[in-house]
Amino acid sequence: MMNILFIIYDKRLHKPMYLLICNLAVVDILYTSSSSPTMIGVLVAGVKTISYVPCFIAMFAFHLGGVMVTFALSIMAFDRLIAISCPFKYHSYLTNVRTLVLTYILWIVACGFASYLQAILLPLPHCHSKLKHNFCEFAAIIRTTCVDLTPYFNLVAVIVFIYLFFTFTFICLSYILIIFFVKLSSNSNKRKMGSTCLSHLIVVTCYYCPVFVIVVLTRMGVVLTLEARHGLLIGTILGPSLVNPFVYCLRTKEIRCKILGIFKSS
């Protein structure tokens, strides 16, 4: 919320990079708030009931946030690529309007992914009323239905692989090009360029590492217990969202200076 408020109220921060940081903060809030209240209720308060409609709403928000995290990280990698490869034309290539339009398009596409999962589940009959996960998401809800789960899990696995592979490949290609342009630059600019990318790299690592651990272990035939899978899943959801605001508050000079100014004035 501090990141969002600083960027909204300070017109000097109305630039593409800060708009994308603000977008990532919104995504983090959506992603965690869609699952953490239910997890807290189940794990801490012992509340183990949730109504059908709120569960579907929470599922939509959860999958929307999950898709948007990857999209947000991808567009931020593109922003860094433009900033480093075309520093003098950066503001003419990536204007605030173009950044907002691109962000809106990604939100619409992410809503399409989340809505498709909803559309798969809604017509299915339900035979069970107990979720095996600590919050509402596709895998937990579809296990309550009376159908053969294999084709549905295969379909979702293909969808998840496509957007994870696409976004991760896009980020990797962006950084390959960034490394190429950094090598061509002078030594005095290399450290500055590396510093501008480090915050984003930290965030990307915090998100994709737990995701790939789950995917790789599963595909290698390692059978995870329900508790272990829950732990990795909770780490994937809450870990990056906990790290992101600190990374961008502490490593972004303008935001860091505003926070220090507030503490000094108080």
Side-chain angles (χ1 to χ4, degrees):
M1 288 300 298
M2 287 175 65
N3 274 329
I4 294 171
L5 292 175
F6 285 152
I7 293 168
I8 289 175
Y9 287 107
D10 191 340
K11 292 185 178 180
R12 294 172 298 175
L13 300 182
H14 291 182
K15 300 175 183 177
M17 183 181 77
Y18 298 105
L19 294 178
L20 295 177
I21 292 175
C22 185
N23 177 60
L24 182 64
V26 172
V27 173
D28 283 338
I29 292 172
L30 172 67
Y31 196 32
T32 54
S33 61
S34 64
S35 56
S36 56
T38 310
M39 287 193 290
I40 292 170
V42 172
L43 300 174
V44 179
V47 178
K48 297 184 178 180
T49 58
I50 184 170
S51 301
Y52 184 77
V53 174
C55 191
F56 265 78
I57 294 173
M59 172 191 156
F60 177 83
F62 173 74
H63 290 297
L64 174 61
V67 175
M68 270 309 300
V69 168
T70 62
F71 285 174
L73 294 177
S74 299
I75 192 175
M76 292 175 82
F78 178 71
D79 169 75
R80 292 299 84 204
L81 174 60
I82 299 297
I84 289 175
S85 61
C86 310
F88 298 110
K89 296 183 179 181
Y90 169 73
H91 291 289
S92 60
Y93 286 161
L94 201 63
T95 62
N96 287 348
V97 173
R98 289 175 181 173
T99 302
L100 291 173
V101 169
L102 186 56
T103 304
Y104 290 148
I105 291 172
L106 292 178
W107 274 98
I108 292 171
V109 174
C111 285
F113 275 107
S115 299
Y116 181 67
L117 294 178
Q118 299 283 106
I120 293 174
L121 282 174
L122 283 174
L124 299 179
H126 293 266
C127 298
H128 310 283
S129 60
K130 185 177 180 180
L131 299 179
K132 291 187 177 181
H133 291 193
N134 295 322
F135 57 93
C136 297
E137 52 110 17
F138 182 86
I141 296 177
I142 200 168
R143 284 191 172 95
T144 67
T145 62
C146 317
V147 298
D148 180 16
L149 303 181
T150 303
Y152 294 97
F153 277 129
N154 290 340
L155 176 62
V156 172
V158 171
I159 294 172
V160 172
F161 174 79
I162 289 172
Y163 84 76
L164 278 179
F165 177 80
F166 174 78
T167 54
F168 186 71
T169 302
F170 182 84
I171 293 171
C172 289
L173 289 175
S174 298
Y175 273 100
I176 290 172
L177 292 173
I178 287 172
I179 292 170
F180 173 76
F181 285 112
V182 168
K183 286 186 176 181
L184 294 178
S185 63
S186 61
N187 290 331
S188 59
N189 290 331
K190 286 182 179 179
R191 179 171 294 181
K192 183 179 179 180
M193 290 178 177
S195 179
T196 60
C197 295
L198 184 58
S199 298
H200 183 253
L201 278 172
I202 293 172
V203 173
V204 169
T205 303
C206 288
Y207 176 76
Y208 278 99
C209 277
V211 170
F212 284 140
V213 166
I214 295 175
V215 173
V216 171
L217 288 179
T218 304
R219 292 296 171 263
M220 288 177 61
V222 177
V223 179
L224 297 174
T225 64
L226 196 60
E227 290 77 12
R229 191 172 184 83
H230 283 175
L232 285 172
L233 198 58
I234 291 170
T236 304
I237 298 166
L238 301 184
S241 301
L242 178 65
V243 172
N244 294 353
F246 288 105
V247 168
Y248 283 109
C249 279
L250 298 177
R251 290 200 55 82
T252 305
K253 182 180 178 182
E254 288 80 0
I255 297 177
R256 184 174 67 246
C257 290
K258 289 184 72 66
I259 294 174
L260 293 175
I262 291 173
F263 280 109
K264 287 180 181 178
S265 62
S266 61

